Amino acid sequence: MTRGLFISFEGIDGAGKSTHIARVAELFRQAGRAVVLTREPGGTPLSENLRELVLHEPMDALTEALLMFAARREHLVQVIEPALARGDVVLCDRFTDATFAYQGGGRGFDWQVLAQLERMVQQLPIHAAATAPDHQAPKACPAREGGCASLRQPDLTVWFDLDPLIAAERLASARVPDKFESQPADFFAAVRAGYARRQAEVPDRFARIEAAQSIEAVGADVSRLVTEWLKRPAA
Ligand code: TYD
């Protein structure tokens, strides 16, 4: 059976990732693959409810981080793991790197606490609740004993990197901003630094796209990246 593929798309608000996700989906469909297009926070009814809260209600930084991970857990259990088990291609508009960038970089929330939550939520195996009634909550990560059980992470993360000032210009002519979109430029500079830190930690899966280019040039870069990445022996 074809192996499932998990690709996430990241970037500060206004970086323009949504248009390109649709194109990547088309690329895979043309290659005969079943594609699941999804997003975070969101992707299940419960996670979409959490999205509403987290994007529009003011709240404590830890509460915000916990809600992001709660939405993610549900999304993994209900949508992402079953899709990967079927051999589908999962294209996810944001995943955990966004939490490190926004809550860690932007809000200044403790990076190590986020890493602990990441281990708790993404530790494999993750069973679909409906098919595993006796499923136990994830055990404490053995990282403290010197190694870490493997975590569910995207196989590839496409990071649309853009100067926050250009992103702000693009957003100004768009819709009514949510809680994050209405943050000042220095917040987005910190989010961008958060993404850069994440990329430095896991350079193998994290590909940077220069998002200041024209939409056509960005699209061409993304198609090239995905096509070449698929040719890698490990992919
Ligand atoms: P976004 O992905 O930009 O969706 P849309 O294009 O529909 O506005 O919006 C999600 C927002 O949530 C974005 O501002 C980033 C933020 N976010 C976090 O702060 N932490 C997270 O872990 C995730 C997944 C998103």
Side-chain angles (χ1 to χ4, degrees), residues 13 17 51 68 72 94 99 102-103 175 180-181:
D13 290 273
K17 60 190 161 45
R51 178 188 177 95
M68 292 295 181
R72 179 160 305 129
R94 302 190 184 282
T99 314
Y102 278 78
Q103 280 64 53
R175 56 212 162 176
F180 293 103
E181 288 164 350

Side-chain angles (χ1 to χ4, degrees), residues 75-172:
H75 191 206
L76 278 165
V77 168
Q78 305 290 352
V79 175
I80 297 177
E81 290 305 314
L84 294 176
R86 288 193 302 269
D88 293 358
V89 177
V90 177
L91 302 181
C92 195
D93 188 343
R94 302 190 184 282
F95 193 63
T96 306
D97 299 309
T99 314
F100 282 87
Y102 278 78
Q103 280 64 53
R107 298 264 193 248
F109 192 78
D110 191 304
W111 201 267
Q112 294 316 318
V113 174
L114 294 179
Q116 277 176 356
L117 293 171
E118 177 185 41
R119 285 197 292 271
M120 193 180 295
V121 167
Q122 293 163 230
Q123 187 182 321
L124 291 168
I126 299 169
H127 299 291
T131 56
D134 59 346
H135 175 57
Q136 307 268 305
K139 302 200 170 46
C141 179
R144 269 171 286 136
E145 283 98 59
C148 190
S150 58
L151 304 184
R152 173 60 69 205
Q153 296 289 16
D155 297 298
L156 172 67
T157 295
V158 184
W159 171 33
F160 295 89
D161 187 29
L162 184 65
D163 183 323
L165 296 176
I166 304 177
E169 277 169 27
R170 289 186 183 172
L171 279 180

Side-chain angles (χ1 to χ4, degrees), residues 20-32 35 37 91:
H20 302 291
I21 300 175
R23 291 185 181 177
V24 174
E26 209 32 55
L27 221 119
F28 278 107
R29 288 196 189 103
Q30 280 167 10
V35 175
L37 267 178
L91 302 181

